[in-house]
Amino acid sequence: MKTGLTTKILPADEAGVKEAARCLAAGRLVAFPTETVYGLGADATNAAAIAHLYEAKGRPLFNPLISHVAGFEAARRLGRFDAVACALAQAFWPGPLTLVLPKRPDCGVAELATAGLDTIAVRVPAHPTAHAILAALGKPVVAPSANLSGHVSPTSAAHVKSDLEGRIDLIMDGGPVAVGVESTIVGCFGSPMLLRPGGVPREEIERVLDRPLKQAPADADSDGAQPLAPGMLTSHYAPRAKVRLNARSLKPGEALLAFGKPDVAGREHAAATMNLSESGDLAEAASHLFGYLRMLDATNAHTIAVMPIPPHGLGEAINDRLRRAAAGRE
């Protein structure tokens, strides 16, 4: 239910950045672009603002949030970096990698943001608008995807407006994002663990570490356990339509989410078709994923049939998001 707020939309220019920082400092909610997806920002040190964010998204309180900061030194004030964490930060920051670290007791981030865990998720985003807002505010900002909880993540300001108009104060319009899937999350407590595949492929991380990443349980909440990081709930990133994976034929009334050559029986009868990448480029497919899911969902097809996606590179993150979108709905 909308709260009756008037949601302003501003361009991502210098004046817009100043207004965004002013709103965040006042405890208000601001959606802004990162290189991965649009994030919904709140001052990470303000528990009341974070509570408002959970309410606006309809997000479960046990699901932790990522604290975004402007640089490595700011990140070191939040969490404890071992040699592994330092190596990953040096290799991939700023960029689409989140590190989950032992939390410093004096970090200042509200307990509500870490969902009571003794760890904290931290990222240094690469998008110039996100960096400018963080630098102007001078505080960490929690910024989960700027959509209703569990819905398809937003890759444009229009997607944010569709989900959150009337619930938040400001949307910064920086155009479409570059990566299109959320950050990769690596746990740096004990052996490094892949908690969520994302914008940095597993292979690149393992190349830096010169060893394989430990694999986290696929569904953090399947046994009632609290998730260690965002994006680990079994059902997530979901359109209203059902999602059917690894489709090699189309059923009547289904929409088709294709990849590469659309060699699918019955595709001429599709309610609608979008191709993530006709050339089979996984980076292009990732950038289109959430936007195309939203477009197919808008056709009111009862089911979105998805062609197989290769599991390597960014395909691991794409398949993770699609599997969670389909969970309990196929």
Side-chain angles (χ1 to χ4, degrees), residues 44-45 64-69 74-81 93 98-111 113-123 140-142 185-189 195 228-230:
T45 68
L65 300 169
I66 297 170
S67 292
H68 296 69
V69 292
R76 289 183 64 181
R77 292 193 285 272
L78 303 185
R80 300 186 184 280
F81 282 75
W93 279 357
T98 293
L99 301 178
V100 178
L101 309 160
K103 181 172 61 175
R104 290 189 178 276
D106 59 348
C107 72
V109 171
E111 286 286 330
T114 59
L117 298 171
D118 58 4
T119 54
I120 188 166
V122 185
R123 183 163 93 89
V141 171
V142 292
I185 302 180
V186 174
C188 295
F189 40 86
L195 299 177
L228 295 173

Side-chain angles (χ1 to χ4, degrees), residues 160-301:
V160 180
K161 182 176 184 289
S162 174
D163 271 21
L164 297 179
E165 185 176 22
R167 292 173 173 261
I168 66 175
D169 299 274
L170 177 62
I171 300 171
M172 297 288 290
D173 189 349
V177 302
V179 177
V181 292
E182 293 83 356
S183 61
T184 302
I185 302 180
V186 174
C188 295
F189 40 86
S191 299
M193 176 186 295
L194 182 65
L195 299 177
R196 179 181 75 181
V200 178
R202 173 201 298 266
E203 296 90 338
E204 293 184 19
I205 296 169
E206 292 179 339
R207 192 175 303 119
V208 168
L209 298 180
D210 196 28
R211 57 170 151 162
L213 287 165
K214 187 178 177 181
Q215 183 65 49
D219 301 314
D221 60 335
S222 60
D223 58 358
Q226 181 179 10
L228 295 173
M232 296 183 71
L233 299 181
T234 307
S235 180
H236 210 55
Y237 315 108
R240 289 180 295 272
K242 292 182 179 180
V243 176
R244 185 167 66 86
L245 304 179
N246 299 313
R248 300 185 183 278
S249 62
L250 212 61
K251 299 176 183 178
E254 291 186 326
L256 176 64
L257 186 62
F259 177 79
K261 183 180 178 182
D263 187 17
V264 174
R267 64 184 176 87
E268 66 274 11
H269 301 303
T273 299
M274 302 294 297
N275 196 321
L276 292 170
S277 174
E278 293 184 6
S279 66
D281 184 299
L282 288 169
E284 181 184 20
S287 71
H288 288 156
L289 177 62
F290 291 134
Y292 284 8
L293 278 174
R294 283 178 176 263
M295 291 170 72
L296 291 177
D297 205 24
T299 68
N300 294 319

Side-chain angles (χ1 to χ4, degrees), residues 136-156:
L137 181 65
K139 294 180 180 180
V141 171
V142 292
S145 56
N147 58 304
L148 294 174
S149 186
H151 194 207
V152 180
S153 296
T155 55
S156 72

